[in-house]
Amino acid sequence: MEALLSMKNIKKSFSGVAALKNAELELNKGEVVALMGENGAGKSTLMKILTGIYSKDEGTIHFEGKEVEYKNVSESEAAGIAIVHQELNMMNDLTVAQNLFIGQERMNGFFINDRKMEKDAEELFKKLNVDINPGAKIGELTVGKQQMVEIAKAISTNAKVIVFDEPTAALSTSEIEELFKVIRDLREKGTGIIYISHRMDEINVISDRVTVMRDGEYVGTLITKDCTKDDIIKLMVGRTVFMEPKTESAVKEGAEVVLKCEHLSRGKAVKDVSFELRKGEILGFSGLMGAGRTEVARLLFGADKRDSGKIYVHGKELDIQSTVDAVKAGIGYLSEDRKRYGLLVDKSVEENTCLASLEKFDKGLFIDEKRCKEVSEKYVEELRTKTPGVSQIIKKLSGGNQQKVVIAKWLLKDSDILIFDEPTRGIDVGAKSEIYELMEKLVSEGKSIIMISSELPEILRMSDRIIVMCEGRVTGCLDIAEVNQETIMTCATDRQGD
């Protein structure tokens, strides 16, 4: 049987650095192929070549039996290839329906028919079984719902091949289940699916085959039902990576309380939240989507105004009204939406690293650029950030390497309290290990971390204690020695009345 899509011996370099070396991929009709590999392995680059965002240096692409090379996304979409990007790329001031049908607007004569677009959007959302208002501004939606709009957009084109790049990174469990139903339906209709994800459990459930890349090269393809998680990881990283849960707290007895919150509240999102964070502690925040974890973090960082409650840092009550107040208090925040809140994507690695600490490089009217460069290079080496150099523009880095630059920014600022909101979202298993090692190193040096994560294995692997939230309230404060996934989920679904 001839493959629906075949990519062979694909090569691509940027500024002399090889991003792809003999990469390949094969996809049949009605098949889901998982594309896996560490950050920087070249997965997204390969997909960008397929869809015409980048041109290849060498190699061949065959689609439906014909050799093709698309010059841009419009060409690949017209041919029947759609992509759901990991990093959301929407116009926040337009409505959901307007974003959904950009390039395929419904017209009434010379005018755009917004009512028709909203009606068509409603039909699409019914298929996905999600509750999204087509008339709402896209910027008002949660990251998870924005992701569902991206997915709906790809499905609306009736594509023959759909690429899903980390589609579930911001989705709740129920949203993931609905997405999988849609993917199975597409597969039944003969659509070919390329599914990029770092979540091993998903790969096992949804894929037929797994193609693995490492350092820009094709490593091998496995039949999903015949391989184990360890088989895939071994191909991806060339080493064994362990995700054993932590069995006891590493925090010293009598450790100082560095952060204390009492009765924090903001509307319906945060209701009477109190907790303590100790020196050298990783305090995990768990809960389902919409539980209020990110909203608590934003109150602590002064990004949102609290209705009531008190915040104490090192025993002193502080009136944190802005992010500037929080940074002065020694609090750093790594947002789950790094593109929107953590980085200037059109600036370099160096500029982003030094962004929060410009006062350290002040030379009167000028910035000490030589010193900035030296410090940035130090963090690139320390965090093992894959980049051609510190002058590289951030948006050209993989998601995991972008995250490392955000971490470098707050390490340079020397924040005592670090809030990591979904620190490994969209990051592969090898890069996860590196970030876990870094977090453990930071707490061993006396820093304290609040880690918000939707991945229970991550919560159990990293936390000394766990705060569980449900619908804006704290429903559990658990010691790592006495907890398991079932305990956390029980608390995470423990809805309490107002």
Side-chain angles (χ1 to χ4, degrees), residues 164-208:
F164 289 93
D165 190 354
E166 294 289 350
T168 65
L171 302 186
S172 67
T173 304
S174 61
E175 286 170 333
I176 291 169
E177 286 172 5
E178 293 302 332
L179 173 62
F180 283 1
K181 284 179 191 172
V182 170
I183 289 175
R184 291 187 186 105
D185 183 49
L186 290 167
R187 180 165 57 184
E188 287 295 314
K189 291 173 181 173
T191 307
I193 307 286
I194 299 168
Y195 191 90
I196 302 173
S197 176
H198 298 112
R199 296 184 174 185
M200 294 291 179
D201 295 338
E202 291 180 4
I203 297 304
N204 187 47
V205 169
I206 202 64
S207 72
D208 300 300

Side-chain angles (χ1 to χ4, degrees), residues 356-374:
S357 307
L358 290 177
E359 72 282 353
K360 293 185 179 183
F361 306 97
D362 190 3
K363 284 178 67 175
L365 295 173
F366 302 98
I367 297 293
D368 189 340
E369 290 183 9
K370 185 184 175 188
R371 175 77 182 130
C372 270
K373 187 169 186 282
E374 286 172 357

Side-chain angles (χ1 to χ4, degrees), residues 277-324:
L277 173 70
R278 297 186 178 276
K279 186 172 183 177
E281 181 176 41
I282 298 176
L283 181 63
F285 265 66
S286 188
L288 303 176
M289 289 285 286
R293 298 164 301 162
T294 294
E295 288 78 3
V296 168
R298 288 177 61 82
L299 292 183
L300 291 176
F301 195 60
D304 294 328
K305 297 282 192 292
R306 61 189 184 277
D307 297 337
S308 59
K310 295 180 178 180
I311 299 171
Y312 300 84
V313 176
H314 298 294
K316 182 182 176 184
E317 185 180 349
L318 296 180
D319 184 24
I320 295 175
Q321 294 290 337
S322 68
T323 55
V324 173

